[in-house]
């Protein structure tokens, strides 16, 4: 039986971090992740040799860690399956976005690029060079923290052919949900919460059974609480955390 199309779905995550060793220990201690280190003699993310630790959970790879310069901000990057990376990058520019990294090949993996939306949120169009199904069960929700959800809707509908549905909270432009061409929900855009001082960015949510317990454990391991645990009808209970290297991520016990 043929695998369902991954086009429009988020299929991979990389953590670009200023301290891979510290990040590996934190997520292993918090979530029980294992790692398998691949060594590249000509690393695609920077010149020269480098290790690329794959994130393993229950024997399946879900993403990886990439070391960045210490004066940069650690952050997660999501990869979205598309038909043509080069075309997606060009479309981002036509819609007043940016190409942060021109399309590049990852030997044995696929082709990707890094593009920015109109407010600076970064995401990666991606075409795999293999036919393995996308991993599931770890990163269960993707959310764009943005200053303008309407602008985000227009941009990502054009970039990935996502459909979207807007929900307003009073007079506030608040929430947009995105779906792929097969009508599967893939992501959402949320107005930047008041008091949360951070750049526009995509945030991965990691599925856990007990958000409050895992949030407390994250803090004990050196993370910082950005949004304390709360429950939202139709979504579930979640918290937003900054890991010890500075990257934002969410913990979620989903109602779906």
């Amino acid at each position: 039986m043929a695998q369902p199309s991954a086009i429009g779905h988020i299929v991979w995550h990389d953590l670009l971090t200023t301290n891979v060793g510290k990040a590996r220990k934190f997520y292993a201690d918090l979530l029980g992740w294992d790692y398998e280190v691949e060594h590249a003699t000509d690393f695609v993310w920077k010149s020269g040799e480098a290790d690329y630790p794959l994130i393993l959970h229950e024997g399946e790879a879900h993403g990886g860690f990439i070391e960045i310069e210490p004066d940069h901000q650690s952050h997660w990057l999501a990869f979205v399956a598309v038909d043509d990376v080069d075309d997606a990058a060009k479309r981002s520019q036509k819609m007043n976005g940016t190409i942060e990294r021109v399309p590049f090949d990852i030997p044995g993996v696929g082709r990707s690029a890094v593009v920015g939306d109109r407010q600076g949120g970064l995401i990666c169009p991606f075409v795999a060079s293999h036919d393995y199904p996308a991993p599931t069960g770890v990163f269960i929700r993707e959310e764009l923290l943005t200053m303008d959800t309407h602008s985000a809707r227009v941009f990502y509908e054009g970039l990935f052919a996502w459909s979207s549905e807007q929900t307003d909270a009073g007079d506030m432009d608040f929430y947009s949900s995105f779906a792929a061409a097969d009508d599967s929900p893939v992501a959402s855009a949320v107005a930047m919460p008041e008091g949360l001082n951070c750049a526009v960015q995509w945030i991965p949510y990691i599925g856990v059974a007990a958000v409050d317990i895992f949030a407390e454990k994250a803090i004990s391991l050196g993370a910082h609480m950005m949004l304390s645990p709360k429950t939202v009808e139709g979504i579930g209970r979640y918290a937003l955390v900054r890991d010890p290297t500075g990257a934002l991520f969410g913990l979620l016990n989903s109602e779906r």
Side-chain angles (χ1 to χ4, degrees):
M1 181 181 295
Q3 292 288 341
S5 174
I7 299 299
H9 289 260
I10 294 168
V11 296
W12 194 254
H13 291 82
D14 274 336
L15 174 61
L16 278 64
T17 174
T18 56
N19 192 321
V20 166
K22 182 183 287 188
R24 284 181 60 174
K25 178 170 172 45
F26 170 76
Y27 289 100
D29 290 346
L30 178 64
L31 300 164
W33 286 355
D34 295 314
Y35 305 101
E36 180 179 310
V37 178
E38 295 186 343
H39 184 78
T41 56
D42 186 15
F43 198 42
V44 298
W45 287 98
K46 58 183 179 182
S47 60
E49 297 186 27
D51 287 337
Y52 178 64
L54 288 171
I55 298 165
L56 299 182
H57 181 69
E58 297 183 350
E60 186 176 35
H62 293 261
F65 290 165
I66 297 164
E67 188 101 23
I68 58 175
E69 296 300 321
D71 59 342
H72 287 56
Q73 177 65 51
S74 299
H75 62 282
W76 284 95
L77 269 179
F79 291 71
V80 180
V82 297
D83 289 312
D84 187 319
V85 168
D86 297 70
D87 183 60
K90 291 176 183 176
R91 285 201 308 276
S92 72
Q93 280 192 315
K94 290 178 180 178
M95 295 183 296
N96 298 320
T98 58
I99 300 176
E100 297 296 317
R101 180 160 184 193
V102 299
F104 58 96
D105 293 313
I106 310 169
V109 177
R111 186 167 176 81
S112 189
V114 183
V115 304
D117 65 28
R118 297 167 179 174
Q119 299 169 73
L122 301 180
I123 202 161
C124 301
F126 174 71
V127 172
S129 58
H130 56 75
D131 59 359
Y132 300 127
T136 60
V138 171
F139 297 98
I140 63 172
R141 182 180 177 86
E142 210 76 23
E143 195 167 81
L144 174 66
L145 297 178
T146 179
M147 305 306 295
D148 184 348
T149 60
H150 175 73
S151 174
R153 286 181 69 186
V154 173
F155 183 84
Y156 289 102
E157 285 175 352
L159 183 62
F160 297 130
W162 285 347
S163 59
S164 67
E165 182 178 345
Q166 184 85 8
T167 301
D168 295 321
D171 295 328
M172 183 171 62
D173 180 19
F174 179 68
Y175 181 89
S176 292
S177 56
F178 295 114
D182 62 3
D183 293 327
S184 298
V186 291
S188 60
V190 178
M192 189 74 67
E194 186 175 351
L196 184 62
N197 184 23
C198 70
V200 170
Q201 60 189 287
W202 283 96
I203 306 294
Y205 279 79
I206 298 167
V208 295
V211 169
D212 297 67
I213 292 173
F214 276 86
E216 289 179 10
K217 185 177 180 181
I219 303 309
S220 74
L221 294 170
H224 297 277
M225 186 77 72
M226 305 304 291
L227 290 177
S228 298
K230 65 181 294 185
T231 301
V232 175
E233 185 178 354
I235 295 176
R237 190 160 181 81
Y238 74 94
L240 188 62
V241 178
R242 191 183 295 278
D243 77 23
T245 76
L248 284 174
F249 71 98
L251 297 166
L252 175 64
N253 185 346
S254 176
E255 292 182 356
R256 295 180 179 178

